[in-house]
């Protein structure tokens, strides 16, 4: 399991048991479908965090990994009901628990190689973390570059990205406001990748296109573009009745949810086969 995950993340591990290994330890974080952390070859067990607040703090730093939030912002997001003194104490305790979980062999008072600090701003050290959400976006960017240049295998990058996206971002924190924006952003990117890959494969593999559009509609039954591509895929296989049923399902879902009819391009598509 570890080997497969590390191959997907495209990383290599230094030999354990050396000073170089301790300084260059790579942390692999899975955020999709469930939170997991590996330190080199070792998976960090849930008990290592010792307290729920430490896990929440680390997940917040992962979510805000492109910034270094101020300590006061962190406390306001995680523990808004605490008074300043209690919030500061809980933050320090949680931060220490994170450092102990990630680097249990770190010498007392030695600086952390995982968590970086600038005055009262804290963040992840980007040199030692590999996060599935980042690699997902890297593959999407490569697919877009391939499409823009007309070179490279965009489909392969979409497939690699979607192999990583096998569930929502941090589902454990779905009721925490500070994860909502990132979860929705990645969800939308996944929907776009599914429908774009479905379009690319439509001429050569309409059955795979149908599988991809079905997956997109499981993520969002209102994603109308997926219905249109699925209709075209059924037509490509000669299955006109299923094309019509797909349109009817689309029309019913939009009516039930919004009281709206399908977009003109969807209506035009179904009229072309009526």
């Amino acid at each position: 399991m570890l080997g497969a995950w590390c191959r997907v993340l495209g990383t290599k591990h230094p030999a354990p048991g050396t000073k170089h290994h301790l300084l260059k330890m790579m942390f692999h974080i899975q955020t999709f479908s469930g939170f997991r952390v590996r330190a080199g070859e070792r998976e960090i067990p849930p008990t290592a965090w010792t307290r729920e607040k430490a896990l929440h703090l680390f997940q917040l730093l992962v979510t805000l990994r492109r910034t270094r939030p101020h300590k006061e912002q962190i406390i306001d997001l995680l523990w808004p009901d605490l008074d300043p003194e209690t919030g500061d104490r809980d933050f320090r305790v949680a931060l220490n628990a994170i450092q102990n979980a990630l680097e249990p062999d770190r010498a007392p008072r030695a600086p952390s190689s995982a968590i970086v600090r600038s005055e009262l701003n804290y963040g992840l050290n980007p040199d030692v973390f590999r996060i599935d959400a980042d690699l997902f976006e890297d593959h999407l960017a490569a697919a877009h570059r391939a499409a823009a240049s007309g070179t490279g295998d965009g489909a392969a990058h979409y497939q690699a990205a979607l192999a990583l996206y096998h569930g929502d971002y941090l589902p454990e924190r779905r009721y925490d406001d500070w994860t909502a924006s990132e979860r929705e952003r990645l969800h939308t990117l996944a929907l776009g990748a599914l429908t774009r890959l479905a379009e690319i494969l439509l001429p050569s593999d309409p059955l795979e296109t149908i599988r991809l559009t079905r997956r997109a509609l499981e993520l969002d039954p209102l994603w109308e573009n997926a219905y249109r591509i699925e209709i075209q895929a059924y037509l490509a296989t000669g299955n006109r009745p299923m094309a019509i049923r797909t349109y009817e399902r689309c029309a019913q879902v939009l009516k039930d949810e919004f009281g709206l009819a399908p977009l003109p391009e969807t209506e035009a598509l179904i009229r072309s086969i009526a």
Side-chain angles (χ1 to χ4, degrees):
M1 181 69 178
L2 172 65
W5 188 19
C6 292
R7 283 194 297 274
V8 170
L9 289 176
T11 58
K12 298 180 180 180
H13 301 289
T18 65
K19 182 178 180 181
H20 177 76
H21 173 71
L22 293 176
L23 292 175
K24 299 296 184 180
M25 173 75 74
M26 294 303 303
F27 299 94
H28 306 277
I29 301 178
Q30 175 184 311
T31 62
F32 295 131
S33 82
F35 191 71
R36 295 173 62 191
V37 183
R38 294 183 184 277
E41 303 293 336
R42 173 181 63 91
E43 180 161 3
I44 298 177
T47 54
W49 305 103
T50 69
R51 60 193 67 231
E52 193 74 5
K53 287 185 176 182
L55 181 58
H56 291 181
L57 174 56
F58 186 57
Q59 290 171 332
L60 176 68
L61 293 177
V62 170
T63 300
L64 301 180
R65 60 194 175 277
R66 295 178 180 87
T67 66
R68 291 187 184 177
H70 192 276
K71 181 175 69 172
E72 290 183 1
Q73 179 189 0
I74 293 171
I75 295 171
D76 286 343
L77 287 170
L78 293 178
W79 312 300
D81 297 329
L82 297 182
D83 62 79
E85 183 178 347
T86 304
D88 183 71
R89 181 202 64 199
D90 284 7
F91 171 81
R92 287 186 284 105
V93 171
L95 181 64
N96 185 64
I98 289 173
Q99 293 170 334
N100 289 339
L102 295 176
E103 304 168 281
D105 299 326
R106 183 172 58 93
R109 300 185 182 279
S112 170
S113 64
I115 307 299
V116 292
R117 173 184 173 182
S118 175
E119 297 183 348
L120 293 178
N121 295 79
Y122 295 81
L124 303 184
N125 179 356
D127 294 333
V128 301
F129 284 98
R130 296 293 179 267
I131 301 171
D132 59 354
D134 288 340
L135 187 57
F136 168 77
E137 292 195 70
D138 289 344
H139 280 299
L140 293 185
H144 297 333
R145 288 194 298 271
S149 65
T151 60
D153 191 350
H157 283 293
Y158 281 122
Q159 289 164 336
L162 292 169
L164 290 163
Y165 190 90
H166 43 84
D168 281 341
Y169 176 82
L170 292 187
E172 303 92 338
R173 304 274 78 81
R174 63 171 52 91
Y175 300 115
D176 293 306
D177 291 342
W178 49 268
T179 65
S181 177
E182 182 72 348
R183 182 178 301 107
E184 183 61 28
R185 186 181 70 84
L186 293 166
H187 180 86
T188 301
L189 288 175
L191 287 167
L194 283 164
T195 49
R196 182 65 190 114
L197 180 59
E199 285 182 307
I200 292 172
L201 297 180
L202 178 57
S204 61
D205 194 349
L207 292 179
E208 177 64 8
T209 289
I210 292 169
R211 188 190 72 80
L212 291 165
T213 57
R214 289 291 177 88
R215 183 179 170 191
L217 291 169
E218 287 174 1
L219 293 177
D220 187 349
L222 299 169
W223 199 254
E224 191 172 346
N225 192 28
Y227 287 108
R228 283 196 300 274
I229 298 169
E230 187 171 311
I231 290 169
Q232 295 175 67
Y234 277 122
L235 292 175
T237 65
N239 196 336
R240 182 175 178 274
M242 280 302 298
I244 294 172
R245 286 180 61 183
T246 299
Y247 166 79
E248 291 172 343
R249 188 168 77 253
C250 171
Q252 190 64 53
V253 167
L254 292 172
K255 179 181 178 182
D256 291 345
E257 188 70 21
F258 297 126
L260 297 174
L263 291 170
E265 49 263 50
T266 308
E267 299 281 14
L269 177 62
I270 201 63
R271 282 198 304 271
S272 70
I273 64 171

